[in-house]
Every structure is written in structure tokens, then in C-alpha cells.
Amino acid sequence: MERSSLERDRAGLVMVKGEPFNAESPLAGLREPVTPTPLHYVRSNFPLPDHDGTLAVGGAVARPLTLTLDDLRALPAATLTVTLECAGNGRVGLMPLPTGEPWTGNAVATARWTGAPLHLVLERAAPLASGIEVTFEGADHGPYRGGADIHFVRSLPLERARDPEAQILLAYEMNDEPLTPDHGAPLRLLVPGWYGMASVKWLARIAVLPEPYEGQFQTKSYIYEWPDGGREPVGAMRVKAAITDPAPGATLPAGPYTVRGRAWSGTGPVAAVEVSVDGAGEWQPARLDPPSGPYGWQAWSFDWAAGGVGRHVLRARAIDAAGNVQPDSPPWNRLGYGNNAVQVLVLDVR
Ligand SMILES: Nc1nc2c(c(=O)[nH]1)N[C@H]1C(S)=C(S)[C@@H](COP(=O)(O)O)O[C@H]1N2
Ligand SMILES: [Mo]
């Protein structure tokens, strides 16, 4: 029997949940500057929805619109290379373990996204002076944690949504092909620099609101709930370095080895990556490639004289241009978001 295209899309991923399908990128997906689509992690709260191919823009606007994909393709297109990371990536590193998908460290990937700039569409709809927020509704829905049937909806401040410099896309292509079902076909929002939850897949409706939006995925999920009672919305991706070579648990021959990885941050370009071997001495500087654009991860490497037969421990940490540094232990929060603690990789030299 022929395998379905969905099965083919998913075969290369590291599954976390079968239904709805959630999966991490394999390490191979982080080893390329742009992750091939079949190796890009998938995070979905609900089963794959049907989408009628149109986008409704309404609410507090002077000119409500219904746009087809062709309407969007007729607008000037923009292409951006964007690193997307799930806010729950690394959740299993938190103690006590929060509930939620048990992501280890590879719910992250980078793709080339093409679409219509969001600000052009919003200006066409002409938001009323009373508008302050914009909601983005996915066609996906389902009973949430045993409760009511709800859609995946997120909002952005109107000011940010209509800001050309935020470079938010209504994306219809990923890596130069139409979106696949798992990544939001036929249309998704793409909010560069922010954790993935902002980039609403299967986008069906945009509405300008004269009041703050208070739905499940805006005010109950994707919130940092700190031990001291503080609450903040999850937004920009925190600075992080990932080691791609060697793989965790690898066995290497003694001798020179080039440690490699990627580093990214939603709060500025990565300014430095440092490596520590066996926890000894000072952090040592790694070579860092310049960014290829404002929103894509950067490659780094470090020449290591893999000496001494036995177990070794490598750590890598990134620092961004805003001066943010990765912490040694994860900042615990109730729902387990934003774990950007330094990666600790154990390997063997034989
Ligand atoms: N409609 C809809 N959009 C969504 C989600 C969802 O469940 N439904 N999940 C979000 C989350 S939490 C992440 S991390 C990204 C993942 O995008 P990807 O599956 O293309 O990697 O999609 C976001 N957009
Ligand atoms: Mo996510």
C-alpha cells in the first residue's frame, strides 16, 4: 500500500504524541542552516483542521475583507529565514516537571517563509481608531482539557501587528513550497523572533478588537507563572545555544574534534558562544558565524582536542547583543516555558 503524504511528511521526525501529532526535529534538522521541511518540528494543540482557503479580516475595521490565497499572492511577497522554537522546548529539564508536552531540546528549527506582509492587509482593512488588539484564529479546534470546544486563537497588540518593522508574515510558503498540513496549510501567521505559539497555523480569521483579548491561549496558556506569583505573557525567544555535533552520548576517537552547533535569540543577534569542557577552567570562546538575517539561527564551532579516554562533558552557552546570557539552571515556572538553561552533553572518548 502507498504511504500517505502525511506519513511521509512525518517519518523523519521524533514523535512526542501521535494525535494530535507533535514531534521534535531530529538532530539532522539542526545541522543544516535551513531545516528541510520534513525535519521541522511540529506542535499542534488540536487535530488537523479543514480550511476553506480564505482569510476573513473583520472586527473593528472600516473595510471588512475576505481574501483568497490568490489575493494574498497578488500582494508584494516577503521571504524571511526564521528560527521557530516552541515555548515548551526543554520542559523535561524542569523540576518538578510541569504538565504539558514533554519536549526535550529539539522543538526548534529554521525555515524560509514566504508570504504577504501582515501590515499591508491590515491597512487595507483600515482599523478603526478604537482598535487596540488583533486576534488571529486558526481553523483548528477541539474540546480543551475536557472542557468546551475552542479554536486556537492568539492576539497581538494592533501597534505591533501593523508595524512594518516587526516583519510579520501571512505565510503561504515554507522552504519555497506551499505549506504542508502539519505546518498550517494553506496559510499561517509567522511572528519572527517570538516563540512559536504566536505563529498561528491554518489561519482563518483576523479581527481587530477594541478591548484586550482574554482567550485560553492568550491568558491561561503561554504565560510565565513564576514561583513568586508573578505572571507575564510568553513572547520573544530567549537566547540559546544547541550542540549539534557530537550527538548526546556519542563515542568519539581521541584526537581533534570540531564541536558544532547553532545559537539563536529573539532579543537580538547572538554576540558570542562559549564552550566549557568537563566543567574545568574558564568558558572558552567558540567561532560564531555572522547572522544570515535578523531572525535565523547562527552556526558556531569549537576546536576541541578530545583528549583522555573516558567520559567527557561539553557545555555551550550563548550571549546575545542585548547582553542576555543563558542561565546554568532553568528558570522554573508552573507551565514550563522558556527553558534556555545551558545544554550539558555527555560523551565518550575511546
Ligand atoms: N492554529 C494553531 N496554530 C499554532 C499552534 C496550534 O496548536 N494551532 N501551535 C503553535 C505552537 S505552540 C507552535 S510552537 C508552532 C509550531 O509550528 P510548527 O508546527 O510549524 O513547527 O505553531 C503554533 N501555531
Ligand atoms: Mo509551542
Side-chain angles (χ1 to χ4, degrees), residues 43 86-87 196-197 222:
R43 197 285 178 260
C86 184
M197 74 280 145
Y222 306 114

Side-chain angles (χ1 to χ4, degrees), residues 2-234:
E2 210 181 290
R3 279 203 305 170
S4 72
S5 63
L6 201 57
E7 283 175 58
R8 241 179 297 123
D9 287 351
R10 295 174 171 180
L13 296 170
V14 180
M15 202 196 349
V16 170
K17 192 194 259 180
E19 187 55 49
F21 184 73
N22 283 272
E24 302 200 29
S25 306
L27 212 42
L30 282 77
R31 286 187 174 133
E32 310 220 24
V34 172
T35 309
T37 303
L39 304 186
H40 191 293
Y41 84 94
V42 173
R43 197 285 178 260
S44 299
N45 284 273
F46 299 116
L48 285 178
D50 291 323
H51 189 290
D52 72 2
T54 66
L55 172 66
V57 186
V61 297
R63 252 175 296 148
L65 308 168
T66 301
L67 301 170
T68 63
L69 231 34
D70 285 342
D71 295 333
L72 291 170
R73 285 180 183 275
L75 293 170
T79 297
L80 286 176
T81 299
V82 177
T83 296
L84 210 59
E85 181 182 16
C86 184
N89 193 27
R91 177 176 285 127
V92 296
L94 298 194
M95 287 183 284
L97 179 66
T99 53
E101 303 312 315
W103 304 108
T104 59
N106 290 342
V108 60
T110 297
R112 253 169 71 84
W113 301 94
T114 300
L118 173 64
H119 69 93
L120 294 181
V121 170
L122 280 175
E123 290 326 313
R124 271 206 186 178
L128 301 178
S130 59
I132 59 165
E133 277 195 29
V134 189
T135 54
F136 301 87
E137 182 178 312
D140 56 327
H141 64 94
Y144 193 74
R145 300 207 173 127
D149 190 290
I150 57 172
H151 280 253
F152 187 87
V153 185
R154 290 274 311 175
S155 78
L156 290 171
L158 175 59
E159 199 178 300
R160 181 175 168 85
R162 77 197 311 185
D163 179 2
E165 296 198 352
Q167 299 197 54
I168 299 168
L169 293 182
L170 298 168
Y172 43 72
E173 279 180 14
M174 175 184 189
N175 296 335
D176 309 309
E177 303 278 354
L179 300 188
T180 60
D182 280 328
H183 294 294
L187 181 71
R188 78 180 298 171
L189 192 68
L190 215 274
V191 182
W194 278 31
Y195 282 115
M197 74 280 145
S199 295
V200 177
K201 303 193 280 190
W202 313 292
L203 183 63
R205 252 175 297 281
I206 295 179
V208 176
L209 301 191
E211 71 272 322
Y213 175 67
E214 291 184 345
Q216 169 69 37
F217 299 100
Q218 195 67 30
T219 60
K220 297 192 178 74
S221 306
Y222 306 114
I223 296 286
Y224 292 117
E225 293 182 25
W226 301 114
D228 67 2
R231 282 169 65 88
E232 315 165 56
V234 174

Side-chain angles (χ1 to χ4, degrees), residues 259-277:
V259 180
R260 294 180 191 283
R262 308 254 165 223
W264 62 94
S265 170
T267 50
V270 174
V273 173
E274 299 172 334
V275 172
S276 156
V277 180

